[in-house]
Each structure stands twice: as C-alpha cells, then as structure tokens.
C-alpha cells in the first residue's frame, strides 16, 4: 500500500535534503513484537508500518523505517515476544529524532502501535521540548476506534475486544490474512480472579470500584494469551478499523502541517 516516494529509505540524501527544505511532517512508526493470542502474528508492528505508509501516501507526509520492538515486559512468557528495556527504546527513538532535527525537521509524529511504548515516547517528546524547543506529536493507532464505533462494529460483543481478540487481529485479517491461524485459537481461558483480587486487566485489579495495580503478566490471566474473542473479527471489520487509523493519521498530519511546532515560551 505504501508509496516509496514518501519513504526516506528509498530516497537519496540529495532528495531528502530537498524535501526537508519544505518543513515536512515526518512520521516515525513504532510497534512491538509480542503475543496477540494463539492465532494472530506476533509482528503487530507491521500494522503501524502499513498505517504510516498509507498516511504518507494520502497526506504527503514522509516516514522513516518502523521501529519493530517495544517495551512488552508483561508478554515475555510467550515465545516470539521481543521486549526492549525502556531506556533502550528511549535512546533509540531520541537518536532518531535528533538525527532528523539536526537537519531542520520540526514536525515529527510518532505513529505508535503498542501501548507499552506510550509513556516512553512522551518522555522523549518532553525532553525534546525542553532541549530543542520543539513540540512532537503521537497517535496510538489502537485508540482510534471510539466506543460508539466498536458498538457499531461488534454490537453486544464490543466488550470482547481485549488483547488478542477483536481489534488487532481484525486488522491482521485485512492486511495479512495468510498470517492469521484461527484454528489455533481455543475456547476462552480468561481468569477473572488472581489470588484474592478481581482482575480487570493486565496488572489491574478492582479495589472499591477503582483501578488498583498488582503487576501480573498476561499469562496470569490467559494461558493462550488472549483477553478478547478471537472469533469475533472479520476482514471487513479490519478494513473499517484500518481506514479509521489512516483517517486519523491524515488529519493529524494536516493539523501539524498548518502549525508552528516550536514551543511558545
């Protein structure tokens, strides 16, 4: 789907130099390599890569190669998960941004496909604001589907779209249908209790109606690594979700293109 003309790795340095004279938006796509249930591919960074490429194709932004590994500590129990330490990811992304900024790039968006990266990316952005006087942007592609959109797509099963079922695997079915192996998914084995706690998510428990935190891993709640319904998604659902991600990405680019991203002191 991606247009190579908008990917810096397919351009010469002289072509890149000319592009940078126009103060373009540059997208850094990121994701992770981790368990997504027993049926979906571990390389969910591939979705962020596809979204970034399609956004660039439609909006005129540019992108760099995807950062495929993220901080996935709570998924380490599953083979295929590759987790990097927070300081590793921070330094990698900071070096990428510095390399762009020193050639006068002022408009950078992280198109992120893994929630475990969000806080690290914010730390990078905060430090760049303080040190380089630039304000960066971030879009988490898995948070582009609103509650109403999920209800429209899934109906009464909207609450069954947890990790490994419903959202990520839907887009995988659309983009990489040959990589989805639905026959490997078994019946739900989600555990709602961990010791004396009512588990509400990975590392989250209910305490008097609010979120408390007990640092469990995914395997503590589901041995097969799935907190959603692996059978609820369709190719069409994946297409709609992907288009929504691209729509949000293009709007982000449009607004950043129209903005002076230097911090106002």
């Amino acid at each position: 789907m991606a247009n190579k003309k908008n990917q810096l790795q397919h351009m010469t340095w002289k072509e890149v130099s000319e592009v940078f004279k126009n103060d373009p938006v540059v997208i850094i796509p990121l994701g992770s390599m981790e368990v997504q249930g027993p049926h979906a591919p571990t390389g969910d960074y591939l979705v962020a890569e596809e979204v970034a490429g399609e956004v660039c194709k439609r909006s005129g932004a540019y992108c760099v190669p995807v950062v495929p590994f993220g901080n996935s500590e709570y998924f380490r129990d599953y083979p295929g998960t590759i987790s990097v330490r927070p300081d590793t990811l921070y330094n990698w992304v900071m070096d990428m941004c510095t390399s762009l900024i020193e050639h006068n790039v002022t408009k950078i968006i992280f198109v992120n496909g893994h929630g475990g990266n969000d806080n690290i990316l914010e730390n990078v952005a905060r430090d760049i604001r303080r040190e380089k006087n630039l304000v960066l942007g971030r879009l988490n592609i898995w948070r582009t589907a609103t509650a109403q959109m999920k209800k429209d797509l899934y109906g009464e099963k909207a609450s069954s779209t947890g990790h490994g079922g419903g959202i990520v695997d839907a887009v995988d079915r659309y983009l990489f249908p040959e990589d989805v192996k639905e026959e490997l998914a078994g019946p739900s084995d989600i555990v709602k209790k961990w010791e004396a706690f009512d588990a509400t998510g990975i590392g989250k428990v209910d305490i008097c109606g609010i979120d408390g935190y007990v640092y469990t891993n995914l395997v503590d709640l589901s041995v097969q690594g799935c907190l959603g319904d692996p059978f609820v998604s369709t190719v069409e659902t994946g297409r709609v979700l992907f288009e929504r991600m691209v729509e949000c990405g293009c709007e982000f680019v449009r607004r950043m293109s129209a903005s002076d991203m230097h911090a106002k002191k």
Side-chain angles (χ1 to χ4, degrees), residues 149-211:
M149 186 176 183
K150 290 180 182 179
K151 184 177 180 180
D152 292 342
L153 288 172
Y154 296 100
E156 61 184 22
K157 291 190 175 182
S159 61
S160 300
T161 56
H163 188 88
I167 303 294
V168 177
D169 63 330
V171 182
D172 283 337
R173 290 174 194 271
Y174 173 60
L175 295 175
F176 319 110
E178 69 281 0
D179 293 334
V180 178
K181 308 293 192 304
E182 189 174 285
E183 68 275 11
L184 297 179
S188 175
D189 64 350
I190 300 173
V191 174
K192 296 293 188 180
K193 295 277 293 186
W194 187 85
E195 294 295 328
F197 295 95
D198 295 320
T200 57
I202 303 169
K204 293 172 62 175
V205 296
D206 179 85
I207 301 292
C208 300
I210 65 170
D211 287 337

Side-chain angles (χ1 to χ4, degrees), residues 199-240:
T200 57
I202 303 169
K204 293 172 62 175
V205 296
D206 179 85
I207 301 292
C208 300
I210 65 170
D211 287 337
Y213 298 90
V214 174
Y215 293 103
T216 52
N217 284 352
L218 174 59
V219 73
D220 298 314
L221 306 182
S222 169
V223 173
Q224 69 172 346
C226 189
L227 296 182
D229 185 345
F231 306 107
V232 74
S233 297
T234 65
V235 173
E236 176 59 17
T237 300
R239 185 195 66 78
V240 172

